[in-house]
Amino acid sequence: MIADAQALTDNIENPEKVRQNIIEVALDYMSCGLDPAKATIFIQSQISELCELTFYYMDLVTVARLQRNPTVKSEIQMRNFEASIPVGFFTYPISQASDITAFKATTVPVGGDQLPMIEQTREIVHKFNTVYAPVLVEPKALLPENEACQRLPGIDGKAKMSKSLGNCIYLSDSADDVRTKIMSMYTDPEHLLVSDPGHLEGNTVFTYLDAFCRQEHFERYLPDYADLDELKAHYTRGGLGDVKVKKFLNNVMQETLEPIRNRRKELEKDIPAVYDILKKGSDEAREVAAQTLAEVKSAMRINYFEDAEREIRRTIKTNYLGKGHFRRSETSFFVYTEYAGHLLSVVAVIDIQRCLLEILSDLPAGGIFRVTGEITGIDQRRLMRKRCQYHIRNLRIIQEKQTVFVFRGVGSGFPICQYPDGFHGGSFLPQSGTEDAE
């Protein structure tokens, strides 16, 4: 996810900056190896369902709880927001909970500083599931095995890299830019002479070596030392200068970043294709988030019109089995289901797609589902996409007449056949048992 909406909380007066960063982040993701064929890359602001989920989750969190969040406190201090905190920024742990739960994520890769955010998400999920229904999934944090990678400091020695502080090494930086930044890195302020003993704690250069250096790097770039432990031992006893260590780190980082830079240059040649990837990913993400939002609203009992659809005329009797006509109104049409020669239900519905999927998910083998009347809203591709969510495995669709669709359950593994875009007029046909031959 590209969190542009979150970025606006402290860039509200500079939306163009956020807009430009959208493509930069997308290029970074893909140049580092995220494959859009396997991972859905989307833009946060394009998924309106996330905002609605955030709104509902706000009722599950107190102001005091947000104020105790250590990540929020440190971010507020870093941006000098103590006197005037934007509400959107203050509540971003709740927004982040929406970003995670909308897609029912089970595992969230994070740095060490984000652990309080995951814990707050778990609290929101637990409270929602307890108060309403077990709809949401409690995620777990996935930390890097290498502790140094859990939170890289800025090159100035500050606790965190931040664009606003200008202390980052960017994936888009040229080789010269990377070298310049590394050579200016914060080290040990007491290590004034080469002969002085050095300190490792808080030394940014050694933190980066812990994160990125491997055994083979010494063989290629610093063969005088067997490994990082030997280099550290020499530095702490004195006799090893910062410049030599920084040059070694530069070689390590250049080797690490070079393939990423090359992939990025290739991707930059076709920016419209990158936007297409983001558009497709956002469309896919919106569909998943919409399903979760529907489940959340159902659990909260605020899906008022869906409830009405299920209840309206659910038990209309056999009066309508003969040649009586139904006509489509402004907001509804009528369907009925039958099995083994018996009427099951007649329902007035507004959303034909949802109605079909809900009824078909319960259709037994040999059961028949008929639709008659004027219906023009069936979207075959949407039915194809949605049927798996409703656990519909077997279905054969038969066009019995121009005015009737007949859906017949056939056991396991069903193809969905072609059918017309819509049909007009018509009435319910007399009950005919199993004479609707395929």
Side-chain angles (χ1 to χ4, degrees):
M1 184 187 78
I2 301 175
D4 64 321
Q6 184 57 49
L8 283 170
T9 62
D10 60 337
N11 286 280
I12 195 61
E13 296 179 355
N14 193 3
E16 187 59 32
K17 174 184 175 182
V18 175
R19 184 183 181 89
Q20 293 301 322
N21 281 336
I22 291 291
I23 198 67
E24 294 297 319
V25 175
L27 289 170
D28 285 346
Y29 282 168
M30 290 188 283
S31 62
C32 284
L34 278 183
D35 183 354
K38 299 178 181 179
T40 302
I41 306 175
F42 64 94
I43 302 173
Q44 182 187 32
S45 64
Q46 304 306 297
I47 317 300
S48 58
E49 289 80 4
L50 300 179
C51 293
E52 190 169 350
L53 286 172
T54 300
F55 182 77
Y56 299 140
Y57 293 171
M58 284 181 178
D59 296 328
L60 305 174
V61 184
T62 65
V63 171
R65 177 63 183 92
L66 287 174
Q67 290 174 328
R68 291 197 305 271
N69 188 309
T71 304
V72 173
K73 289 194 290 187
S74 65
E75 293 284 347
I76 288 173
Q77 292 172 355
M78 186 173 68
R79 289 168 172 79
N80 297 316
F81 277 163
E82 289 91 340
S84 181
I85 307 171
V87 173
F89 187 87
F90 182 64
T91 59
Y92 88 88
I94 306 174
S95 172
Q96 194 171 80
S98 299
D99 299 335
I100 294 169
T101 59
F103 307 101
K104 299 190 176 180
T106 58
T107 306
V108 185
V110 293
D113 61 315
Q114 291 295 305
L115 286 176
M117 310 295 281
I118 302 302
E119 182 57 34
Q120 186 131 39
T121 296
R122 290 172 59 85
E123 290 176 10
I124 290 172
V125 169
H126 178 75
K127 188 163 186 179
F128 183 94
N129 289 347
T130 301
V131 172
Y132 299 112
V135 169
L136 304 177
V137 175
E138 285 193 26
K140 295 182 180 179
L142 177 64
L143 291 170
E145 294 181 1
N146 185 340
E147 188 174 345
C149 295
Q150 292 184 13
R151 186 173 185 176
L152 284 174
I155 60 174
D156 57 358
K158 296 290 174 62
K160 183 179 179 180
M161 274 194 181
S162 168
K163 287 186 177 182
S164 60
L165 296 177
N167 61 356
C168 302
I169 294 176
Y170 299 105
L171 297 176
S172 58
D173 282 344
S174 67
D176 288 341
D177 288 339
V178 172
R179 183 182 185 281
T180 299
K181 290 180 178 182
I182 289 175
M183 297 309 292
S184 67
M185 263 187 177
Y186 180 85
T187 55
D188 176 9
E190 298 180 4
H191 190 237
L192 302 178
L193 301 174
V194 172
S195 57
D196 291 339
H199 298 87
L200 302 178
E201 185 177 355
N203 191 319
T204 306
V205 174
F206 279 97
T207 301
Y208 275 65
L209 286 174
D210 283 331
F212 295 101
C213 165
R214 299 191 303 272
Q215 184 67 37
E216 57 266 28
H217 288 139
F218 285 93
E219 299 171 4
R220 285 196 285 273
Y221 307 121
L222 203 60
D224 294 344
Y225 298 88
D227 52 31
L228 185 56
D229 289 337
E230 188 174 320
L231 184 70
K232 288 179 177 179
H234 191 180
Y235 187 79
T236 54
R237 69 174 180 264
L240 177 60
D242 289 319
V243 172
K244 185 173 184 177
V245 180
K246 288 180 178 180
K247 286 181 177 179
F248 175 57
L249 174 60
N250 177 62
N251 287 328
V252 171
M253 296 304 298
Q254 298 291 0
E255 181 178 315
T256 302
L257 294 174
E258 183 64 23
I260 296 173
R261 278 196 294 262
N262 292 338
R263 284 194 294 268
R264 207 175 194 280
K265 289 176 182 177
E266 289 300 313
L267 290 166
E268 286 173 345
K269 294 177 181 178
D270 193 357
I271 295 301
V274 177
Y275 276 110
D276 287 342
I277 290 170
L278 295 178
K279 174 66 166 59
K280 180 182 178 184
S282 297
D283 289 342
E284 293 175 357
R286 188 180 305 110
E287 188 169 313
V288 176
Q291 177 63 31
T292 301
L293 177 61
E295 294 173 12
V296 164
K297 294 174 75 171
S298 178
M300 296 176 70
R301 305 297 295 157
I302 57 176
N303 57 336
Y304 309 113
F305 302 117
E306 290 180 17
D307 283 350
E309 287 176 17
R310 293 191 186 96
E311 297 300 328
I312 295 175
R313 303 180 185 268
R314 182 175 291 276
T315 55
I316 293 180
K317 301 300 181 180
T318 56
N319 302 8
Y320 303 101
L321 274 178
K323 295 182 180 180
H325 291 265
F326 277 119
R327 294 197 177 276
R328 192 176 191 276
S329 70
E330 290 291 328
T331 59
S332 63
F333 62 88
F334 299 90
V335 299
Y336 76 91
T337 59
E338 56 175 305
Y339 177 59
H342 299 286
L343 174 72
L344 297 181
S345 65
V346 179
V347 188
V349 296
I350 295 172
D351 186 339
I352 181 171
Q353 313 293 344
R354 186 185 298 119
C355 172
L356 289 177
L357 290 163
E358 289 179 353
I359 294 177
L360 294 176
S361 63
D362 294 325
L363 188 67
I368 296 173
F369 170 58
R370 292 176 188 267
V371 182
T372 73
E374 181 184 353
I375 303 174
T376 57
I378 297 178
D379 182 335
Q380 182 179 9
R381 281 184 292 183
R382 183 179 173 196
L383 283 176
M384 289 286 285
R385 289 196 306 269
K386 289 283 190 179
R387 76 184 195 278
C388 292
Q389 295 179 18
Y390 285 79
H391 308 290
I392 303 173
R393 297 180 181 176
N394 311 304
L395 180 68
R396 184 168 299 150
I397 298 178
I398 309 163
Q399 181 191 355
E400 184 185 56
K401 292 185 178 181
Q402 185 60 26
T403 56
V404 179
F405 286 154
V406 177
F407 300 79
R408 185 191 299 279
V410 293
S412 59
F414 33 56
I416 290 190
C417 304
Q418 184 63 41
Y419 53 91
D421 291 337
F423 55 87
H424 305 275
S427 62
F428 287 121
L429 299 183
Q431 171 65 35
S432 56
T434 59
E435 70 184 35
D436 301 304
E438 298 168 15

